[in-house]
Amino acid sequence: MKEWVEALKEYKVFLGEPEKEELKRISYDSRKAEAGDLFLCMKGSKLDSHDKIPELLEKGVRLFVVEKELEDLPAELGKTEGLSVIKVENARAALARLSACYFHYPAKEMLMIGITGTKGKTTTASMVRSILEEGGYRTGLIGTTGIDYAGIHEESRNTTPESYTLQETFRKMKEAGCDAVVMEASSQGFKMHRTDEILFDYGIFTNIEEDHIGENEHKDFQEYKYYKSMIFKQSKQGLINMDADFADEFWKNAACPCHGFAIEKKADFQAKNIENLRQDDFIGTRFDFVHGEDSESIFNHLPGEYNVYNALAAISIASLLKIPMDKVKSALSKIQVNGRMEVTLQRNGYTVIVDYAHNAMGMKNLLQTLKAYHPERLIVVFGCGGNRSKERRYGMGEVAGEMADFTILTADNSRYEKTEDIIHDIETTLTKKTDKYIAIPDRREAIFYALKHAKRGDLIAVIGKGHEEYNEVNGEFTRFVDREVILEEAAKLD
């Protein structure tokens, strides 16, 4: 029997002798399928690829894995010679099993660290990766900002890519010399079986809040929480933020040994004596990392208490891996996370930060964090995306009016709306709170205005786009990276 058939674990043969067939290539997109492929048919929310079987037969596909009963499949199957058809209960789970087998189980050859949570996944993953790299590991990264390894960057539509892409990426990483992988493991990733066949050496839980609940996501909070907890069924060891809601429940139900980290509660790893620090060349926090009788002073080059939690998770992993503390300190003292509280420019006594905050909640959390550094003025540059809920505009306008000392309204992926109309919507709530603002529809000009009028002691937050590298207007995408534009416009002022 072929190894790939055994990898399916549970199956039923409908037609042919698949046990004798070679697995040459896996396809699950009918547009890309070719003769000789094994094709997995899936029932999706919008598309059922079982309906594509006649088209696939014309292309020469003769090996199928399906999840429907034989009588529910297109009649063309019974009229075609040389077919092999296998029935499985869940095609997405089968895709994960086949992909792992096809790429020879690359995750087993590297240190695997998975991170789940409502907030903090991206920043924690970047911190863990920086520490591992400093400690001598060649490390790949998979998450919201894309896929990075060995100097290669690839875009990804999903925080946790499809299982085939994951397994293919693991193999590429290993062949490029990686010996560790840090990845964001989303609740959708677990629900859609993308993470199946991965056993993490360490699984990290950052926190959980009500989010991602609705059509095509999770039906309710209970389901969302369940899929977050899955990380501890797929990890050798767990690491839990004990200050997070439902932490005790996650700990109790974990299927692996766990360690805790916390600021407020007693835990294996703790952060104490937290200070906000702002100097001409540094903005961030200093805290004591406490583990047992040991205590180390840590400088974290990312502002705010929630970034202390992210750093604490990363340091805890480093401690479990016995990475020297001088390597940890070096990594965190210079950490930059693309588009997440990213300190982009510090000059003449003012600081410019880029962040992905693109709704009222994210904006409020960000501005509260920055206010704790007691800036002379807190200036925010933002817009809102077009063809999206207007409630986001009203909410962000209200937050800016209440919390910013000065606001610059501008464009942010206007799509098929006029930027001026979006700005007008934001103004309806902003002007109820303040008159200290200006509207500059061109985002580059808005950033230049903020820099030109900046004073010593100011904190400027350019928000909404974060790690994005484009601006979308009327279906056209042009390159626009806040970080790059800030540095380019600042150079004009030299």
Side-chain angles (χ1 to χ4, degrees):
M1 183 182 292
K2 299 297 183 182
E3 183 184 11
W4 69 266
V5 179
E6 291 183 332
L8 288 171
K9 297 178 182 177
E10 295 182 3
Y11 61 92
K12 181 165 61 174
V13 176
F14 278 167
L15 296 171
E17 297 180 292
E19 297 92 341
K20 297 181 180 179
E21 299 287 343
E22 294 290 341
L23 180 58
K24 297 176 182 177
R25 207 176 79 118
I26 299 171
S27 291
Y28 53 95
D29 184 337
S30 60
R31 297 167 298 180
K32 300 176 182 178
E34 300 174 0
D37 288 359
L38 178 151
F39 190 87
L40 281 111
C41 296
M42 302 182 191
K43 293 180 288 187
S45 58
K46 297 180 180 178
L47 179 70
D48 186 345
S49 57
H50 294 82
D51 298 335
K52 299 290 184 179
I53 287 176
E55 175 186 319
L56 293 162
L57 291 172
E58 289 185 9
K59 286 186 174 185
V61 177
R62 295 294 181 267
L63 182 56
F64 292 88
V65 173
V66 301
E67 55 183 7
K68 284 186 173 181
E69 295 298 331
L70 187 58
E71 59 268 22
D72 297 323
L73 297 173
E76 284 84 348
L77 277 175
K79 304 173 185 178
T80 307
E81 295 292 328
L83 284 182
S84 289
V85 182
I86 290 180
K87 160 77 163 55
V88 294
E89 285 301 312
N90 188 301
R92 288 194 172 275
L95 176 61
R97 292 168 182 170
L98 289 175
S99 298
C101 176
Y102 182 72
F103 290 106
H104 306 293
Y105 301 95
K108 294 182 178 181
E109 302 174 31
M110 297 177 286
L111 173 70
M112 299 294 298
I113 297 175
I115 302 168
T116 199
T118 304
K119 296 178 182 177
K121 296 188 297 296
T122 300
T123 301
T124 303
S126 294
M127 287 177 166
V128 173
R129 185 203 190 186
S130 294
I131 291 172
L132 289 178
E133 291 272 359
E134 196 84 22
Y137 290 86
R138 297 193 67 181
T139 308
L141 179 68
I142 300 173
T144 305
T145 57
I147 296 169
D148 283 287
Y149 64 98
I152 298 168
H153 177 79
E154 300 172 4
E155 294 297 322
S156 175
R157 292 197 317 170
N158 299 310
T159 296
T160 304
E162 187 56 81
S163 58
Y164 181 91
T165 302
L166 274 179
Q167 296 295 336
E168 180 182 39
T169 299
F170 295 155
R171 179 50 63 196
K172 287 179 180 178
M173 287 177 170
K174 182 60 183 176
E175 290 178 354
C178 291
D179 45 25
V181 177
V182 181
M183 63 174 282
E184 298 179 50
S186 68
S187 56
Q188 282 291 306
F190 288 110
K191 181 178 179 179
M192 304 302 286
H193 298 277
R194 296 171 191 157
T195 59
D196 284 13
E197 301 303 307
I198 301 172
L199 178 62
F200 297 107
D201 292 281
Y202 297 94
I204 303 173
F205 166 69
T206 60
N207 51 59
I208 190 165
E209 297 177 7
E210 291 212 22
D211 200 0
H212 302 291
I213 297 168
E215 188 178 1
N216 298 327
E217 291 193 275
H218 298 288
K219 65 180 182 180
D220 53 32
F221 181 69
Q222 196 64 28
E223 181 184 282
Y224 179 52
K225 186 169 59 172
Y226 169 77
Y227 284 110
K228 285 294 184 194
S229 72
M230 285 289 291
I231 195 164
F232 299 123
K233 295 181 180 179
Q234 290 182 221
S235 296
K236 296 177 184 177
Q237 295 187 63
L239 187 63
I240 297 176
N241 175 5
M242 299 308 296
D243 290 338
D245 291 342
F246 304 100
D248 291 338
E249 181 180 327
F250 276 65
W251 182 286
K252 179 182 177 182
N253 295 329
C256 64
C258 288
H259 311 269
F261 66 96
I263 294 175
E264 298 175 1
K265 292 184 179 178
K266 186 172 179 59
D268 302 293
F269 305 100
Q270 291 184 284
K272 296 184 176 180
N273 305 318
I274 300 168
E275 302 174 70
N276 291 324
L277 295 181
R278 184 183 179 197
Q279 301 163 352
D280 284 347
D281 61 346
F282 182 90
I283 182 169
T285 52
R286 192 216 68 83
F287 62 91
D288 293 327
F289 172 71
V290 179
H291 176 46
E293 299 298 317
D294 298 326
S295 179
E296 295 280 352
S297 182
I298 303 291
F299 288 84
N300 179 29
H301 199 10
L302 286 174
E305 183 177 270
Y306 65 86
N307 278 315
V308 174
Y309 278 109
N310 297 333
L312 185 54
I315 303 169
S316 301
I317 286 292
S319 181
L320 292 170
L321 289 170
K322 302 191 184 311
I323 294 175
M325 193 55 65
D326 63 322
K327 301 294 185 183
V328 174
K329 291 181 178 182
S330 175
L332 291 179
S333 68
K334 57 191 179 187
I335 184 73
Q336 289 276 36
V337 182
N338 191 5
R340 298 301 195 276
M341 198 74 85
E342 181 181 358
V343 180
T344 302
L345 179 68
Q346 289 181 297
R347 54 181 275 171
N348 301 330
Y350 68 83
T351 301
V352 185
I353 287 172
V354 171
D355 194 81
Y356 189 49
H358 57 283
N359 56 36
M361 180 182 294
M363 185 181 191
K364 185 176 182 179
N365 289 338
L366 172 71
L367 298 188
Q368 282 178 336
T369 295
L370 297 182
K371 273 187 169 295
Y373 288 82
H374 307 292
E376 287 296 321
R377 294 186 303 170
L378 178 55
I379 299 164
V380 61
V381 181
F382 80 99
C384 286
N387 303 108
R388 298 292 187 269
S389 171
K390 289 192 176 185
E391 292 302 318
R392 180 175 294 180
R393 305 170 193 180
Y394 303 144
M396 292 183 76
E398 187 172 3
V399 171
E402 290 177 347
M403 302 187 69
D405 295 303
F406 192 79
T407 298
I408 303 172
L409 299 179
T410 191
D412 183 352
N413 295 333
S414 301
R415 298 186 177 91
Y416 294 95
E417 289 191 71
K418 290 182 179 179
T419 297
E420 290 80 1
D421 292 342
I422 297 171
I423 288 174
H424 176 71
D425 286 339
I426 300 171
E427 287 175 322
T428 59
T429 51
L430 176 69
T431 54
K432 293 177 181 178
K433 303 288 183 179
T434 185
D435 59 359
K436 295 180 179 179
Y437 80 98
I438 189 172
I440 304 176
D442 184 284
R443 194 172 179 94
R444 180 179 286 272
E445 291 179 10
I447 288 171
F448 179 76
Y449 181 93
L451 300 177
K452 183 178 180 180
H453 293 85
K455 301 176 182 178
R456 177 171 290 276
D458 286 351
L459 270 175
I460 301 170
V462 181
I463 70 171
K465 298 183 74 64
H467 63 279
E468 291 179 354
E469 298 185 349
Y470 61 85
N471 193 43
E472 182 185 355
V473 179
N474 294 325
E476 293 187 8
F477 291 79
T478 55
R479 182 172 178 81
F480 195 103
V481 185
D482 280 345
R483 176 194 329 106
E484 293 178 359
V485 173
I486 289 165
L487 297 176
E488 289 166 3
E489 296 305 303
K492 296 177 182 178
L493 297 171
D494 289 338

